[in-house]
Structure formats: C-alpha cells, structure tokens
Amino acid sequence: MRRTPALIVGGGLAGAATAIGLARAGLPHLLVERSRETGDAICGGFLSWRTLETLAGLGIDPDTLNPTRVTRARIYAGTRRADAALPHAAVSVTRRRLDSVMLAQAERLGTPIERGVTVREIDGLTVRTADGATFAPDALFLASGKQDVRGMARPETARGIDPTLGLRVRIAPSPRCAARSTVASNCTCSIAAMRGLPCRRMAPRTCASRCIARGCRLPDHLRSCWRRWGATCPRSGNGSR
C-alpha cells in the first residue's frame, strides 16, 4: 500500500489545476492519469478572455497556447452571414495542447505525475488501481471527468433529468474543404489566392505551380482557376494532380 498526503485522480484540466494549486502551496501530492499520452478530445477549442484570466492566475501564458488571437465572431445561416467584434481578444486551442501545457506547468512546479494508472475502485480513502496497487492518501481529489469510479459514482441529483447518453461523431470534411486544407498545407498560399486573389507570399500562378509540383491534389472544381492562367491542367490519368 502506497501512502501519500494527497492523491489527484485524473490529469485533465481539473486535475492539472488542482496540482498547480497544491504545488504552489508547497503541499506534497501525487497525480495519476490513466492515459499514457495526452490525446485529442472533442471540444469547441474556444477560450474566452475570462478563461484566459483564470489560466493566467495559474501561470499559463496565452501565447503558449496560441499566439494568434480571435477578435471577431462570424455566424452563417444558409447564404447569410453576420459578423461582430468580440469585446476582448480570445484564443482558439485544441484540448490536447491545453491539457499538455497545464500538465507541463504542474510538473514544472514539482508535481509528480504517474501515467498509465487506471483507478478502478475507491472505498473511503482507499484507492485501488487496475494493476492491483493500492493508495492510501490523506486527501483525495477526484478529477476523473465524465468517468465514474466504482464507489464514487455521481448521485442521481447531479445527473439531472436527461438520460446518460454520449454521442461522438467525427464528420469528414467535404472534398472542397479537404482540398483547401491540402493545398494550404503544401503551399504558402490558400485556395483563395488560387482563385485569383492576391497571394500572400507569391503570385497565384506560381503558387499553384508549386502546389502541383509538390504533389498537391487539384480537384476538378479548381481546374478552372488553373486554366484561367493559361497553364495545362493536370489530367485524371496521373492521379488528378
């Protein structure tokens, strides 16, 4: 049986924030996380200015999350579009990046982190893991997120009236969106530039030529742009490139 003054179960946002607080206070503790690596999580990826203030209080510099700021909001409804300026700058960031930065901050402050440790059961202050190990902390911080642990299930009053049902769907981008992403990743300009708008770093025709040379797929709906500059369009026989 392992003893520790404080045990944090879960290395997500709540667990990392708790670890940062304990480390700053100089209180010994241990954080265990079931995943061996920080993965992706389905999330909106938007942090408001209020959230950035909270993170700053934990020592997280917004620039480490994303140096680019979100300053406007845009809503589409069919062919209509509405734009509005945000009252303060916000940040867009993936959960993988946010979780990684927060755990790194906790570790930098002295938090010991053990990954690959799955807690199966909690009985009072006795914590049992999937590999048969037992922890006996003086204080327990349960930060397992949506994952209930045997012996510490959420009460019915906390669940609400909605049924416990989760749905995760990954939607593949349309070919048009996929083409934009592919070209942008293989070239210094975007599809917008290929359509005749000024390219940021080079002439559109040169940009498109380099995209083709680098093996970027040019879908049928973009060939008209290529023809407009008098170049020879890629043929379908060579992989539509």
Side-chain angles (χ1 to χ4, degrees):
M1 180 178 292
R2 296 178 58 183
R3 301 198 63 87
T4 178
L7 178 66
I8 304 170
V9 178
L13 303 182
T18 302
I20 291 172
L22 292 176
R24 281 180 163 180
L27 300 174
H29 58 286
L30 170 66
L31 186 149
V32 295
E33 162 60 33
R34 65 175 185 161
S35 64
R36 295 190 179 278
E37 295 182 358
T38 301
D40 290 310
I42 294 181
C43 178
F46 176 85
L47 299 181
S48 72
W49 47 97
R50 295 187 180 90
T51 301
L52 294 180
E53 290 176 357
T54 300
L55 290 175
L58 295 173
I60 305 298
D61 183 352
D63 285 342
T64 63
L65 302 175
N66 188 344
T68 303
R69 297 295 183 265
V70 178
T71 58
R72 301 187 63 83
R74 178 173 295 173
I75 300 176
Y76 291 91
T79 58
R80 294 179 296 175
R81 188 185 81 183
D83 292 83
L86 296 177
H88 302 283
V91 164
S92 175
V93 62
T94 65
R95 272 297 304 273
R96 173 184 286 187
R97 178 63 180 167
L98 179 58
D99 288 20
S100 298
V101 168
M102 290 193 64
L103 276 179
Q105 172 70 351
E107 196 167 27
R108 188 161 44 247
L109 292 173
T111 295
I113 300 174
E114 295 185 9
R115 307 203 68 144
V117 178
T118 301
V119 173
R120 292 296 190 196
E121 183 178 1
I122 298 175
D123 183 8
L125 288 177
T126 301
V127 178
R128 298 182 180 86
T129 63
D131 61 0
T134 303
F135 291 87
D138 298 325
L140 175 63
F141 296 87
L142 186 60
S144 56
K146 65 181 180 180
Q147 307 295 332
D148 276 342
V149 179
R150 185 186 306 168
M152 291 293 289
R154 293 171 178 81
E156 291 296 329
T157 54
R159 296 178 181 273
I161 60 175
D162 293 330
T164 303
L165 175 64
L167 179 63
R168 176 181 294 186
V169 179
R170 291 187 180 274
I171 303 175
S174 68
R176 192 180 188 88
C177 292
R180 291 185 183 187
S181 175
T182 302
V183 172
S185 65
N186 286 278
C187 186
T188 56
C189 72
S190 64
I191 289 296
M194 294 182 65
R195 286 176 176 164
L197 299 177
C199 186
R200 293 181 179 179
R201 299 187 183 177
M202 62 180 73
R205 183 170 178 175
T206 303
C207 179
S209 300
R210 293 193 182 183
C211 283
I212 300 303
R214 295 179 184 181
C216 175
R217 293 185 179 276
L218 191 64
D220 293 339
H221 70 275
L222 292 178
R223 292 186 179 182
S224 60
C225 301
W226 185 252
R227 290 192 185 97
R228 186 167 40 175
W229 300 320
T232 302
C233 289
R235 301 181 181 276
S236 58
N238 62 354
S240 298
R241 294 188 174 191

